[in-house]
Amino acid sequence: MKVLITGATGYVGRRIVKKLSESFDDISVLTLNRDVVKAESLLPYSICKHVSISEMEKEIPIFKPDICIHLATLSTSRNDDDIIDPMIEANITFGVKLLSALSKLDSFSLFINTGSFAEFRCGSENGFDDAYLYTATKSAFRHFVDYYSHLRGFKYINVVPYTIYGGNDTAKKLMDYMMESISSINPVKMSPGNQILDFIHVDDVVDFYINAVKIQEKVPLLKNGENFYIGTGIGTKVRDLASLIETKTGKKLNILWGGIDYRPLDVMYAVAPINNNNQIIPWKAKISLEDGLAQLLIKYKLR
C-alpha cells in the first residue's frame, strides 16, 4: 500500500506517520513538505520518502499513491487582509494542485480530507455555517475535492476532528494554557468560558486515520463526500474543565475569565454527532477526558 501525506510534520501528522510505520508491514509513505530537512529529522522512518512541495508534480506520478491523507493547512484566528493570500494559497491553491496531480493516476482510490467542526457553527445537522475565515477556506476546498472526485472517479471522505488535546508537543492547546496558569504570576486571559466542547485525545484522532487506511478494500462501499465526526460525543463546558483540573490537582488556576472576548461568530456548542459515523470505518474514542487529563497532569508534574 502506498500513502501520500501532507502536513506530516504537524501535531497530528507526525503521529500518523509513526503509527503507520508500526502498524503495517507492506506500506510506503510519501510526504510533501515545505521543509524537507525538518521532515527527515522528525520522521526518520524507513517507510518514508520526504520531498518538497515544489517537486509534487514530478514525485506523485513516480510514487503512485493509493490513498492521500490531506492534513496540511494554515489554521489561524486572523481574518485581516494580510492573511488572505497566504491562507488561500495554503488551504485552497495547494490542495487544488495536489488534486490535479492525483487525478492523473489510475491507481488512486481514496482522498482523506481533513475539515473542522467550526465549519458547522450551528451544528452539523444544519449544514455549513462557517465560524471563521479559516474554516470558510476549508469548506470552499470541499467543492474542489468533489469536482476532481467526480472527474476521475476516486472516493473521498471528510474527517471532522473536534477539540484535540494531549501529547508532549510544544504547540499549546487550551488545556496546556490552563495547566500553565497554575504557576503563572499574571492571570492567563481567556474567554468567558461558557463554550461547550468535545475534547478528543490526539491518539484517538490518529487511530481513526489508521483505521481509514486499513479499509482500502472497502473503499467502494463508502458514500462519497461522507463526514466522519471525530470526537467523544460528550460535551464539557470550558469552565467545568477548569474546575475538573483544580479538583484533580488541588491547585487554583490563575485565569482571568472574560479577559478575551469571544470572536464575532464563535462556536458555543461543538459536540461530535458520533452516531452519524458510518461503521465501514470501525472507530470509537477510547480515551476518556479524565484519563487524558491524567496524562497531562504527569506531563506537567502535577501528580
Side-chain angles (χ1 to χ4, degrees), residues 120-179:
F120 308 96
R121 183 173 65 93
C122 297
S124 61
E125 69 279 6
N126 295 311
F128 293 120
D129 186 357
D130 288 288
Y132 316 119
L133 180 61
Y134 157 67
T135 61
T137 63
K138 301 292 284 184
S139 297
F141 179 64
R142 289 174 180 245
H143 292 282
F144 293 99
V145 184
D146 191 69
Y147 167 75
Y148 278 103
S149 170
H150 285 97
L151 180 69
R152 297 300 299 173
F154 62 81
K155 288 288 184 75
Y156 75 98
I157 60 172
N158 301 297
V159 183
V160 184
Y162 280 67
T163 305
I164 307 175
Y165 73 98
N168 295 313
D169 295 67
T170 54
K172 296 177 185 177
K173 306 294 181 184
L174 174 62
M175 286 193 198
D176 295 295
Y177 287 108
M178 287 184 172
M179 296 289 187

Short mmCIF file of all heavy atoms in Angstrom, two decimals, residues 120-179:
data_model
loop_
_atom_site.label_atom_id
_atom_site.label_comp_id
_atom_site.label_asym_id
_atom_site.label_seq_id
_atom_site.Cartn_x
_atom_site.Cartn_y
_atom_site.Cartn_z
N PHE A 120 -19.29 23.97 10.96
CA PHE A 120 -20.69 23.74 11.30
C PHE A 120 -21.03 24.51 12.58
O PHE A 120 -21.28 23.93 13.64
CB PHE A 120 -20.95 22.24 11.50
CG PHE A 120 -20.46 21.40 10.35
CD1 PHE A 120 -19.21 20.78 10.39
CD2 PHE A 120 -21.23 21.25 9.21
CE1 PHE A 120 -18.76 20.00 9.34
CE2 PHE A 120 -20.78 20.47 8.14
CZ PHE A 120 -19.55 19.85 8.21
N ARG A 121 -21.01 25.83 12.48
CA ARG A 121 -21.15 26.68 13.68
C ARG A 121 -22.44 26.41 14.44
O ARG A 121 -22.46 26.46 15.67
CB ARG A 121 -21.11 28.16 13.26
CG ARG A 121 -21.16 29.14 14.42
CD ARG A 121 -20.93 30.56 13.92
NE ARG A 121 -21.98 31.00 13.05
CZ ARG A 121 -23.06 31.68 13.45
NH1 ARG A 121 -23.22 31.96 14.74
NH2 ARG A 121 -23.97 32.08 12.59
N CYS A 122 -23.50 26.08 13.74
CA CYS A 122 -24.79 25.83 14.38
C CYS A 122 -25.14 24.36 14.41
O CYS A 122 -26.32 23.99 14.54
CB CYS A 122 -25.89 26.63 13.67
SG CYS A 122 -25.64 28.41 13.80
N GLY A 123 -24.13 23.50 14.29
CA GLY A 123 -24.35 22.06 14.35
C GLY A 123 -24.33 21.43 12.97
O GLY A 123 -24.79 22.04 12.00
N SER A 124 -23.81 20.22 12.88
CA SER A 124 -23.67 19.54 11.60
C SER A 124 -25.01 19.30 10.92
O SER A 124 -25.10 19.27 9.69
CB SER A 124 -22.94 18.21 11.78
OG SER A 124 -23.68 17.36 12.66
N GLU A 125 -26.06 19.15 11.72
CA GLU A 125 -27.38 18.89 11.15
C GLU A 125 -27.92 20.09 10.37
O GLU A 125 -28.85 19.96 9.55
CB GLU A 125 -28.38 18.50 12.25
CG GLU A 125 -28.75 19.60 13.22
CD GLU A 125 -27.74 19.83 14.34
OE1 GLU A 125 -26.66 19.18 14.30
OE2 GLU A 125 -28.01 20.65 15.23
N ASN A 126 -27.33 21.28 10.60
CA ASN A 126 -27.78 22.49 9.91
C ASN A 126 -26.91 22.86 8.72
O ASN A 126 -27.11 23.91 8.10
CB ASN A 126 -27.83 23.66 10.91
CG ASN A 126 -28.88 23.45 11.98
OD1 ASN A 126 -30.01 23.11 11.68
ND2 ASN A 126 -28.49 23.62 13.24
N GLY A 127 -25.95 22.01 8.40
CA GLY A 127 -25.10 22.26 7.23
C GLY A 127 -24.02 23.30 7.50
O GLY A 127 -23.80 23.73 8.64
N PHE A 128 -23.35 23.71 6.44
CA PHE A 128 -22.21 24.62 6.58
C PHE A 128 -22.66 26.00 7.07
O PHE A 128 -23.63 26.58 6.57
CB PHE A 128 -21.49 24.79 5.24
CG PHE A 128 -20.80 23.54 4.77
CD1 PHE A 128 -21.14 22.96 3.56
CD2 PHE A 128 -19.82 22.95 5.53
CE1 PHE A 128 -20.50 21.81 3.12
CE2 PHE A 128 -19.17 21.80 5.11
CZ PHE A 128 -19.52 21.23 3.90
N ASP A 129 -21.93 26.50 8.05
CA ASP A 129 -22.14 27.85 8.58
C ASP A 129 -20.83 28.21 9.27
O ASP A 129 -20.67 28.03 10.47
CB ASP A 129 -23.32 27.88 9.56
CG ASP A 129 -23.65 29.30 10.01
OD1 ASP A 129 -22.93 30.23 9.60
OD2 ASP A 129 -24.61 29.47 10.76
N ASP A 130 -19.88 28.70 8.48
CA ASP A 130 -18.51 28.84 8.96
C ASP A 130 -18.37 29.88 10.05
O ASP A 130 -18.89 30.99 9.94
CB ASP A 130 -17.58 29.18 7.80
CG ASP A 130 -17.38 27.99 6.87
OD1 ASP A 130 -16.69 27.05 7.29
OD2 ASP A 130 -17.92 28.01 5.76
N ALA A 131 -17.61 29.50 11.08
CA ALA A 131 -17.38 30.39 12.21
C ALA A 131 -16.23 31.35 11.96
O ALA A 131 -16.20 32.45 12.51
CB ALA A 131 -17.11 29.58 13.48
N TYR A 132 -15.27 30.95 11.12
CA TYR A 132 -14.05 31.73 10.95
C TYR A 132 -13.66 31.77 9.47
O TYR A 132 -14.08 30.93 8.67
CB TYR A 132 -12.90 31.12 11.77
CG TYR A 132 -13.32 30.71 13.16
CD1 TYR A 132 -13.23 29.39 13.58
CD2 TYR A 132 -13.83 31.65 14.05
CE1 TYR A 132 -13.63 29.01 14.85
CE2 TYR A 132 -14.24 31.28 15.33
CZ TYR A 132 -14.14 29.96 15.71
OH TYR A 132 -14.55 29.59 16.96
N LEU A 133 -12.83 32.74 9.11
CA LEU A 133 -12.31 32.81 7.75
C LEU A 133 -11.56 31.52 7.42
O LEU A 133 -11.67 30.99 6.31
CB LEU A 133 -11.39 34.02 7.59
CG LEU A 133 -10.79 34.22 6.20
CD1 LEU A 133 -11.87 34.44 5.16
CD2 LEU A 133 -9.80 35.39 6.22
N TYR A 134 -10.81 31.02 8.37
CA TYR A 134 -10.07 29.78 8.18
C TYR A 134 -11.00 28.64 7.75
O TYR A 134 -10.73 27.93 6.77
CB TYR A 134 -9.33 29.41 9.47
CG TYR A 134 -9.01 27.94 9.61
CD1 TYR A 134 -8.09 27.33 8.77
CD2 TYR A 134 -9.63 27.15 10.58
CE1 TYR A 134 -7.79 25.99 8.88
CE2 TYR A 134 -9.35 25.81 10.70
CZ TYR A 134 -8.43 25.23 9.85
OH TYR A 134 -8.15 23.89 9.97
N THR A 135 -12.10 28.46 8.47
CA THR A 135 -12.98 27.35 8.13
C THR A 135 -13.75 27.60 6.83
O THR A 135 -14.14 26.65 6.15
CB THR A 135 -13.97 27.03 9.26
OG1 THR A 135 -14.81 28.16 9.52
CG2 THR A 135 -13.23 26.65 10.53
N ALA A 136 -13.93 28.87 6.47
CA ALA A 136 -14.55 29.17 5.18
C ALA A 136 -13.68 28.65 4.04
O ALA A 136 -14.20 28.14 3.03
CB ALA A 136 -14.77 30.67 5.03
N THR A 137 -12.35 28.74 4.18
CA THR A 137 -11.47 28.19 3.15
C THR A 137 -11.53 26.67 3.15
O THR A 137 -11.45 26.04 2.08
CB THR A 137 -10.01 28.65 3.35
OG1 THR A 137 -9.50 28.16 4.59
CG2 THR A 137 -9.91 30.17 3.32
N LYS A 138 -11.70 26.06 4.32
CA LYS A 138 -11.82 24.60 4.38
C LYS A 138 -13.10 24.14 3.70
O LYS A 138 -13.11 23.15 2.96
CB LYS A 138 -11.80 24.13 5.83
CG LYS A 138 -10.56 24.50 6.62
CD LYS A 138 -9.33 23.77 6.11
CE LYS A 138 -9.30 22.33 6.55
NZ LYS A 138 -8.05 21.65 6.13
N SER A 139 -14.19 24.84 3.94
CA SER A 139 -15.46 24.49 3.31
C SER A 139 -15.39 24.68 1.80
O SER A 139 -15.90 23.86 1.02
CB SER A 139 -16.61 25.34 3.89
OG SER A 139 -16.78 25.09 5.26
N ALA A 140 -14.75 25.77 1.37
CA ALA A 140 -14.62 26.03 -0.06
C ALA A 140 -13.82 24.93 -0.75
O ALA A 140 -14.15 24.51 -1.87
CB ALA A 140 -13.96 27.39 -0.29
N PHE A 141 -12.79 24.45 -0.08
CA PHE A 141 -11.93 23.42 -0.68
C PHE A 141 -12.70 22.13 -0.96
O PHE A 141 -12.39 21.39 -1.90
CB PHE A 141 -10.73 23.14 0.22
CG PHE A 141 -9.82 22.07 -0.31
CD1 PHE A 141 -9.12 22.26 -1.49
CD2 PHE A 141 -9.67 20.86 0.37
CE1 PHE A 141 -8.28 21.27 -2.00
CE2 PHE A 141 -8.84 19.88 -0.13
CZ PHE A 141 -8.15 20.07 -1.31
N ARG A 142 -13.72 21.85 -0.16
CA ARG A 142 -14.51 20.62 -0.37
C ARG A 142 -15.09 20.57 -1.78
O ARG A 142 -15.23 19.49 -2.36
CB ARG A 142 -15.65 20.56 0.66
CG ARG A 142 -15.21 20.28 2.09
CD ARG A 142 -16.41 20.39 3.00
NE ARG A 142 -16.11 20.13 4.40
CZ ARG A 142 -16.60 19.10 5.09
NH1 ARG A 142 -17.39 18.24 4.50
NH2 ARG A 142 -16.30 18.94 6.37
N HIS A 143 -15.46 21.72 -2.32
CA HIS A 143 -16.04 21.74 -3.66
C HIS A 143 -15.03 21.27 -4.71
O HIS A 143 -15.39 20.60 -5.68
CB HIS A 143 -16.54 23.14 -4.00
CG HIS A 143 -17.72 23.58 -3.18
ND1 HIS A 143 -19.00 23.15 -3.43
CD2 HIS A 143 -17.79 24.39 -2.10
CE1 HIS A 143 -19.82 23.68 -2.55
NE2 HIS A 143 -19.12 24.44 -1.73
N PHE A 144 -13.77 21.63 -4.51
CA PHE A 144 -12.73 21.20 -5.45
C PHE A 144 -12.49 19.69 -5.33
O PHE A 144 -12.28 19.01 -6.33
CB PHE A 144 -11.44 21.97 -5.18
CG PHE A 144 -11.55 23.43 -5.50
CD1 PHE A 144 -11.78 24.35 -4.48
CD2 PHE A 144 -11.43 23.89 -6.81
CE1 PHE A 144 -11.89 25.71 -4.77
CE2 PHE A 144 -11.53 25.24 -7.10
CZ PHE A 144 -11.77 26.15 -6.08
N VAL A 145 -12.51 19.18 -4.08
CA VAL A 145 -12.36 17.74 -3.89
C VAL A 145 -13.49 17.01 -4.61
O VAL A 145 -13.28 16.00 -5.30
CB VAL A 145 -12.35 17.37 -2.39
CG1 VAL A 145 -12.10 15.87 -2.23
CG2 VAL A 145 -11.29 18.15 -1.63
N ASP A 146 -14.70 17.51 -4.43
CA ASP A 146 -15.87 16.89 -5.05
C ASP A 146 -15.74 16.89 -6.57
O ASP A 146 -16.05 15.90 -7.25
CB ASP A 146 -17.13 17.62 -4.60
CG ASP A 146 -18.40 16.88 -4.98
OD1 ASP A 146 -18.64 15.80 -4.40
OD2 ASP A 146 -19.13 17.37 -5.85
N TYR A 147 -15.29 18.01 -7.12
CA TYR A 147 -15.13 18.13 -8.57
C TYR A 147 -14.16 17.07 -9.11
O TYR A 147 -14.48 16.33 -10.06
CB TYR A 147 -14.64 19.53 -8.93
CG TYR A 147 -14.15 19.62 -10.36
CD1 TYR A 147 -15.04 19.64 -11.42
CD2 TYR A 147 -12.78 19.66 -10.64
CE1 TYR A 147 -14.60 19.70 -12.74
CE2 TYR A 147 -12.32 19.72 -11.95
CZ TYR A 147 -13.24 19.74 -12.99
OH TYR A 147 -12.78 19.78 -14.29
N TYR A 148 -12.96 17.01 -8.51
CA TYR A 148 -11.96 16.07 -9.02
C TYR A 148 -12.37 14.62 -8.76
O TYR A 148 -12.05 13.72 -9.55
CB TYR A 148 -10.59 16.35 -8.38
CG TYR A 148 -9.86 17.48 -9.07
CD1 TYR A 148 -9.82 18.75 -8.49
CD2 TYR A 148 -9.22 17.29 -10.28
CE1 TYR A 148 -9.16 19.79 -9.12
CE2 TYR A 148 -8.55 18.32 -10.92
CZ TYR A 148 -8.53 19.57 -10.33
OH TYR A 148 -7.87 20.59 -10.97
N SER A 149 -13.10 14.38 -7.68
CA SER A 149 -13.60 13.04 -7.40
C SER A 149 -14.53 12.56 -8.51
O SER A 149 -14.42 11.42 -8.99
CB SER A 149 -14.33 13.02 -6.05
OG SER A 149 -15.01 11.81 -5.87
N HIS A 150 -15.44 13.42 -8.92
CA HIS A 150 -16.37 13.05 -9.99
C HIS A 150 -15.66 12.99 -11.35
O HIS A 150 -16.00 12.17 -12.21
CB HIS A 150 -17.53 14.04 -10.05
CG HIS A 150 -18.51 13.84 -8.94
ND1 HIS A 150 -18.49 14.59 -7.78
CD2 HIS A 150 -19.53 12.96 -8.79
CE1 HIS A 150 -19.46 14.20 -6.98
NE2 HIS A 150 -20.10 13.21 -7.57
N LEU A 151 -14.67 13.85 -11.53
CA LEU A 151 -13.95 13.88 -12.80
C LEU A 151 -13.17 12.59 -13.03
O LEU A 151 -13.17 12.05 -14.14
CB LEU A 151 -12.99 15.08 -12.81
CG LEU A 151 -12.14 15.27 -14.07
CD1 LEU A 151 -13.01 15.68 -15.25
CD2 LEU A 151 -11.04 16.31 -13.81
N ARG A 152 -12.52 12.09 -11.95
CA ARG A 152 -11.61 10.96 -12.12
C ARG A 152 -12.07 9.67 -11.45
O ARG A 152 -11.47 8.63 -11.61
CB ARG A 152 -10.22 11.34 -11.57
CG ARG A 152 -9.57 12.49 -12.32
CD ARG A 152 -9.38 12.17 -13.79
NE ARG A 152 -8.51 11.00 -13.96
CZ ARG A 152 -8.28 10.39 -15.12
NH1 ARG A 152 -8.87 10.82 -16.21
NH2 ARG A 152 -7.48 9.35 -15.19
N GLY A 153 -13.15 9.73 -10.66
CA GLY A 153 -13.73 8.50 -10.14
C GLY A 153 -13.14 7.98 -8.84
O GLY A 153 -13.46 6.86 -8.44
N PHE A 154 -12.29 8.75 -8.15
CA PHE A 154 -11.83 8.30 -6.83
C PHE A 154 -12.83 8.74 -5.76
O PHE A 154 -13.61 9.66 -5.95
CB PHE A 154 -10.42 8.81 -6.53
CG PHE A 154 -10.27 10.31 -6.46
CD1 PHE A 154 -10.62 11.03 -5.32
CD2 PHE A 154 -9.75 11.03 -7.54
CE1 PHE A 154 -10.47 12.41 -5.25
CE2 PHE A 154 -9.60 12.41 -7.49
CZ PHE A 154 -9.97 13.10 -6.35
N LYS A 155 -12.80 8.05 -4.62
CA LYS A 155 -13.67 8.38 -3.50
C LYS A 155 -12.96 9.38 -2.57
O LYS A 155 -11.73 9.44 -2.52
CB LYS A 155 -14.03 7.12 -2.70
CG LYS A 155 -15.01 6.19 -3.39
CD LYS A 155 -16.39 6.78 -3.41
CE LYS A 155 -17.43 5.83 -4.00
NZ LYS A 155 -17.81 4.75 -3.10
N TYR A 156 -13.78 10.13 -1.83
CA TYR A 156 -13.21 10.98 -0.77
C TYR A 156 -14.13 11.00 0.43
O TYR A 156 -15.34 10.82 0.32
CB TYR A 156 -12.95 12.40 -1.27
CG TYR A 156 -14.18 13.28 -1.43
CD1 TYR A 156 -14.55 14.19 -0.43
CD2 TYR A 156 -14.98 13.22 -2.57
CE1 TYR A 156 -15.66 15.00 -0.58
CE2 TYR A 156 -16.08 14.03 -2.72
CZ TYR A 156 -16.42 14.93 -1.72
OH TYR A 156 -17.53 15.74 -1.86
N ILE A 157 -13.51 11.19 1.59
CA ILE A 157 -14.26 11.38 2.84
C ILE A 157 -13.69 12.60 3.54
O ILE A 157 -12.56 13.04 3.25
CB ILE A 157 -14.18 10.15 3.78
CG1 ILE A 157 -12.72 9.86 4.17
CG2 ILE A 157 -14.83 8.93 3.13
CD1 ILE A 157 -12.58 8.78 5.24
N ASN A 158 -14.46 13.16 4.45
CA ASN A 158 -14.04 14.33 5.23
C ASN A 158 -13.95 13.95 6.71
O ASN A 158 -14.95 13.51 7.30
CB ASN A 158 -15.05 15.47 5.06
CG ASN A 158 -15.20 15.89 3.62
OD1 ASN A 158 -14.25 16.37 3.00
ND2 ASN A 158 -16.39 15.71 3.06
N VAL A 159 -12.78 14.11 7.27
CA VAL A 159 -12.57 13.87 8.69
C VAL A 159 -12.78 15.19 9.42
O VAL A 159 -12.13 16.19 9.08
CB VAL A 159 -11.16 13.32 8.96
CG1 VAL A 159 -10.98 13.01 10.44
CG2 VAL A 159 -10.91 12.07 8.11
N VAL A 160 -13.68 15.19 10.39
CA VAL A 160 -14.02 16.42 11.12
C VAL A 160 -13.62 16.25 12.58
O VAL A 160 -14.41 15.78 13.41
CB VAL A 160 -15.53 16.75 11.01
CG1 VAL A 160 -15.84 18.08 11.69
CG2 VAL A 160 -15.96 16.77 9.55
N PRO A 161 -12.38 16.60 12.95
CA PRO A 161 -11.95 16.47 14.34
C PRO A 161 -12.58 17.57 15.20
O PRO A 161 -12.78 18.70 14.74
CB PRO A 161 -10.43 16.64 14.29
CG PRO A 161 -10.07 16.60 12.83
CD PRO A 161 -11.27 17.07 12.10
N TYR A 162 -12.85 17.24 16.45
CA TYR A 162 -13.35 18.24 17.39
C TYR A 162 -12.16 18.79 18.19
O TYR A 162 -11.09 18.98 17.62
CB TYR A 162 -14.51 17.65 18.20
CG TYR A 162 -15.78 17.70 17.38
CD1 TYR A 162 -15.92 16.92 16.23
CD2 TYR A 162 -16.79 18.60 17.68
CE1 TYR A 162 -17.04 17.03 15.42
CE2 TYR A 162 -17.92 18.71 16.87
CZ TYR A 162 -18.03 17.92 15.75
OH TYR A 162 -19.14 18.05 14.95
N THR A 163 -12.27 19.11 19.45
CA THR A 163 -11.21 19.83 20.15
C THR A 163 -10.12 18.86 20.59
O THR A 163 -10.27 18.13 21.57
CB THR A 163 -11.79 20.58 21.36
OG1 THR A 163 -12.85 21.45 20.93
CG2 THR A 163 -10.70 21.43 22.02
N ILE A 164 -9.02 18.87 19.84
CA ILE A 164 -7.94 17.90 20.07
C ILE A 164 -7.03 18.39 21.19
O ILE A 164 -6.73 19.58 21.31
CB ILE A 164 -7.11 17.71 18.79
CG1 ILE A 164 -8.03 17.34 17.61
CG2 ILE A 164 -6.06 16.62 18.98
CD1 ILE A 164 -7.29 17.24 16.28
N TYR A 165 -6.58 17.44 22.01
CA TYR A 165 -5.63 17.76 23.08
C TYR A 165 -4.72 16.56 23.28
O TYR A 165 -4.91 15.50 22.69
CB TYR A 165 -6.37 18.09 24.39
CG TYR A 165 -6.97 16.86 25.06
CD1 TYR A 165 -6.31 16.22 26.11
CD2 TYR A 165 -8.19 16.33 24.63
CE1 TYR A 165 -6.85 15.08 26.71
CE2 TYR A 165 -8.73 15.21 25.23
CZ TYR A 165 -8.06 14.58 26.26
OH TYR A 165 -8.59 13.45 26.85
N GLY A 166 -3.72 16.73 24.15
CA GLY A 166 -2.85 15.61 24.53
C GLY A 166 -1.50 15.65 23.85
O GLY A 166 -1.27 16.39 22.89
N GLY A 167 -0.60 14.82 24.35
CA GLY A 167 0.75 14.73 23.80
C GLY A 167 1.71 15.68 24.46
O GLY A 167 1.34 16.51 25.30
N ASN A 168 2.97 15.56 24.07
CA ASN A 168 4.04 16.35 24.68
C ASN A 168 4.54 17.45 23.77
O ASN A 168 5.70 17.85 23.83
CB ASN A 168 5.21 15.42 25.06
CG ASN A 168 4.83 14.43 26.13
OD1 ASN A 168 4.21 14.80 27.13
ND2 ASN A 168 5.17 13.17 25.93
N ASP A 169 3.67 17.95 22.92
CA ASP A 169 4.07 18.94 21.94
C ASP A 169 4.34 20.31 22.57
O ASP A 169 3.81 20.64 23.62
CB ASP A 169 2.98 19.09 20.88
CG ASP A 169 2.81 17.81 20.08
OD1 ASP A 169 2.37 16.83 20.68
OD2 ASP A 169 3.14 17.79 18.90
N THR A 170 5.14 21.07 21.86
CA THR A 170 5.38 22.45 22.29
C THR A 170 4.22 23.36 21.86
O THR A 170 4.00 24.41 22.45
CB THR A 170 6.69 23.00 21.69
OG1 THR A 170 6.66 22.84 20.26
CG2 THR A 170 7.89 22.22 22.23
N ALA A 171 3.49 22.94 20.81
CA ALA A 171 2.32 23.71 20.38
C ALA A 171 1.24 23.58 21.44
O ALA A 171 0.77 22.49 21.74
CB ALA A 171 1.82 23.18 19.04
N LYS A 172 0.84 24.70 22.01
CA LYS A 172 -0.04 24.67 23.17
C LYS A 172 -1.51 24.62 22.77
O LYS A 172 -1.94 25.25 21.82
CB LYS A 172 0.21 25.90 24.05
CG LYS A 172 1.61 25.92 24.67
CD LYS A 172 1.83 27.19 25.46
CE LYS A 172 3.26 27.27 25.98
NZ LYS A 172 3.50 28.54 26.70
N LYS A 173 -2.26 23.84 23.52
CA LYS A 173 -3.71 23.75 23.37
C LYS A 173 -4.35 24.39 24.60
O LYS A 173 -3.67 24.81 25.55
CB LYS A 173 -4.13 22.28 23.25
CG LYS A 173 -3.42 21.52 22.15
CD LYS A 173 -3.76 22.04 20.79
CE LYS A 173 -3.07 21.26 19.69
NZ LYS A 173 -3.32 21.80 18.36
N LEU A 174 -5.68 24.46 24.58
CA LEU A 174 -6.42 25.09 25.67
C LEU A 174 -6.03 24.52 27.03
O LEU A 174 -5.77 25.25 27.99
CB LEU A 174 -7.93 24.90 25.45
CG LEU A 174 -8.86 25.39 26.58
CD1 LEU A 174 -8.72 26.88 26.79
CD2 LEU A 174 -10.30 25.01 26.26
N MET A 175 -5.95 23.19 27.12
CA MET A 175 -5.61 22.57 28.41
C MET A 175 -4.21 22.93 28.86
O MET A 175 -3.96 23.06 30.07
CB MET A 175 -5.74 21.05 28.31
CG MET A 175 -7.15 20.54 28.27
SD MET A 175 -7.17 18.76 28.53
CE MET A 175 -8.81 18.38 27.91
N ASP A 176 -3.28 23.09 27.92
CA ASP A 176 -1.91 23.46 28.28
C ASP A 176 -1.87 24.84 28.93
O ASP A 176 -1.18 25.05 29.94
CB ASP A 176 -1.01 23.44 27.04
CG ASP A 176 -0.87 22.05 26.46
OD1 ASP A 176 -0.29 21.19 27.14
OD2 ASP A 176 -1.35 21.82 25.34
N TYR A 177 -2.64 25.77 28.36
CA TYR A 177 -2.69 27.11 28.96
C TYR A 177 -3.29 27.05 30.37
O TYR A 177 -2.85 27.77 31.28
CB TYR A 177 -3.50 28.06 28.07
CG TYR A 177 -2.77 28.48 26.82
CD1 TYR A 177 -3.16 28.00 25.57
CD2 TYR A 177 -1.69 29.35 26.88
CE1 TYR A 177 -2.48 28.38 24.41
CE2 TYR A 177 -1.01 29.73 25.73
CZ TYR A 177 -1.40 29.24 24.50
OH TYR A 177 -0.74 29.61 23.37
N MET A 178 -4.28 26.20 30.54
CA MET A 178 -4.88 26.05 31.87
C MET A 178 -3.86 25.50 32.86
O MET A 178 -3.73 26.01 33.98
CB MET A 178 -6.09 25.12 31.80
CG MET A 178 -7.31 25.74 31.14
SD MET A 178 -8.73 24.60 31.22
CE MET A 178 -10.03 25.69 30.62
N MET A 179 -3.14 24.46 32.46
CA MET A 179 -2.14 23.86 33.33
C MET A 179 -1.06 24.87 33.70
O MET A 179 -0.65 24.99 34.86
CB MET A 179 -1.50 22.65 32.64
CG MET A 179 -2.43 21.50 32.35
SD MET A 179 -2.93 20.62 33.85
CE MET A 179 -3.81 19.24 33.09
#
